[in-house]
């Protein structure tokens, strides 16, 4: 099985990669199109030079990597992708036949979390429009990460049942300090998850953000995807 996971930044995407990476039957891949995206757009991201040096910038070569079957020792793969990394013209055929998973988070939380790491933010940076467009193109299952944090076992168990994957308790915890598959950018972005050994508990009230324009731009896309999300586990009987 190949799971292709889409999100924007600050959507628990790394924690989810760690959950699958802690299974004995999964290999994981961390944002393989990042360098190709930076090269194609010319954007100045934190650690740009290091990222460009660490990965191929040839989108076709990345696509071949993503299309490859999982290694024989593990049998399944989980690929973590940022939706906005798939710029026009990048190949998508590599994802045909995969299980598509979309992780979403309320944009107020994304804006607050992303803003703590990078000063200037646009809607394209947080990727809500790009993710909604990808969902319309490839479909798949949607998980709101608020529900995941409220009940990791329930939501992960529901996802595994939906895709026909046996449950593993290994998904609920991982070693502190990161994963061998982490991209070079981990030192800038993954500090909190490197200190973790499992999913954090429920989030508090929504943060107040000073970017009403950005919030207004992202909310319609979030709400559209939220309407398609797997229901929280306490609604399993409904």
């Amino acid at each position: 099985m190949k799971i292709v996971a889409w999100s924007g930044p600050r959507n628990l995407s790394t924690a989810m990669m760690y959950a699958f990476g802690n299974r004995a039957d999964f290999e994981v891949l961390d944002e393989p199109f990042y360098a190709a995206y930076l090269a194609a757009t010319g954007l100045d991201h934190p650690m740009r030079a290091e990222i460009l040096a660490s990965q191929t910038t040839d989108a076709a070569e990345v696509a071949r990597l993503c299309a490859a079957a999982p290694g024989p020792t593990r049998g399944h793969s989980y690929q973590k992708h940022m939706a906005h990394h798939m710029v026009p013209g990048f190949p998508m055929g590599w994802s045909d036949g995969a299980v598509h998973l979309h992780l979403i988070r309320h944009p107020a939380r994304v804006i607050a979390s992303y803003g703590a790491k990078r000063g200037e933010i646009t809607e394209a940076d947080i990727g809500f429009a790009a993710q909604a467009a990808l969902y319309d193109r490839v479909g798949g299952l949607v998980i709101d990460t608020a529900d995941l944090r409220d009940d990791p076992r329930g939501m992960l168990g529901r996802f595994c049942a939906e895709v026909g994957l046996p449950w593993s308790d290994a998904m609920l915890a991982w070693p502190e300090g990161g994963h061998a598959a982490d991209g070079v950018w981990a030192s800038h972005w993954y500090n909190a998850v490197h200190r973790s050994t499992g999913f954090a508990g429920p989030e508090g009230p929504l943060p107040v953000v000073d970017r009403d324009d950005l919030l207004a731009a992202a909310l319609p896309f979030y709400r559209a995807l939220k309407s398609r999300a797997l229901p929280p586990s306490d609604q399993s009987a409904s």
Side-chain angles (χ1 to χ4, degrees), residues 19 40 54:
S54 72

Side-chain angles (χ1 to χ4, degrees), residues 3 6 18 23 59 61-62 86 88 90 95 126 134 164 172 177 188 221 232:
I3 299 173
W6 302 103
Y18 287 1
R23 291 180 60 125
E61 187 175 338
V62 181
M86 303 309 299
F90 278 14
S95 70
I126 56 176
L134 264 173
L172 297 175
H188 180 84
F221 300 110

Side-chain angles (χ1 to χ4, degrees), residues 32-53:
F33 281 95
Y34 199 172
Y37 162 76
L38 291 180
T41 62
L43 290 171
D44 184 17
H45 276 209
M47 301 186 68
R48 173 184 165 87
E50 292 89 342
I51 295 166
L52 291 172

Side-chain angles (χ1 to χ4, degrees), residues 78-176:
Y78 182 94
Q79 299 183 8
K80 171 192 167 196
H81 295 275
M82 295 288 105
H84 56 288
H85 286 179
M86 303 309 299
V87 301
F90 278 14
M92 282 289 297
W94 57 269
S95 70
D96 292 347
V99 172
H100 291 272
L101 168 63
H102 302 265
L103 299 174
I104 60 171
R105 191 184 189 194
H106 194 285
R109 298 193 190 281
V110 174
I111 293 165
S113 181
Y114 192 85
K117 291 287 187 178
R118 191 168 180 226
E120 296 297 324
I121 315 174
T122 67
E123 199 288 321
D125 291 323
I126 56 176
F128 282 88
Q131 189 173 8
L134 264 173
Y135 179 86
D136 289 342
R137 180 174 180 178
V138 303
L141 298 173
V142 180
I143 293 179
D144 191 314
T145 55
D147 300 326
L148 182 59
R149 285 184 56 160
D150 286 346
D151 183 8
R153 180 184 290 273
M155 293 305 297
L156 290 171
R158 172 167 291 179
F159 174 78
C160 288
E162 288 280 347
V163 302
L165 185 68
W167 171 250
S168 172
D169 280 339
M171 300 179 73
L172 297 175
W174 49 80
E176 185 177 358

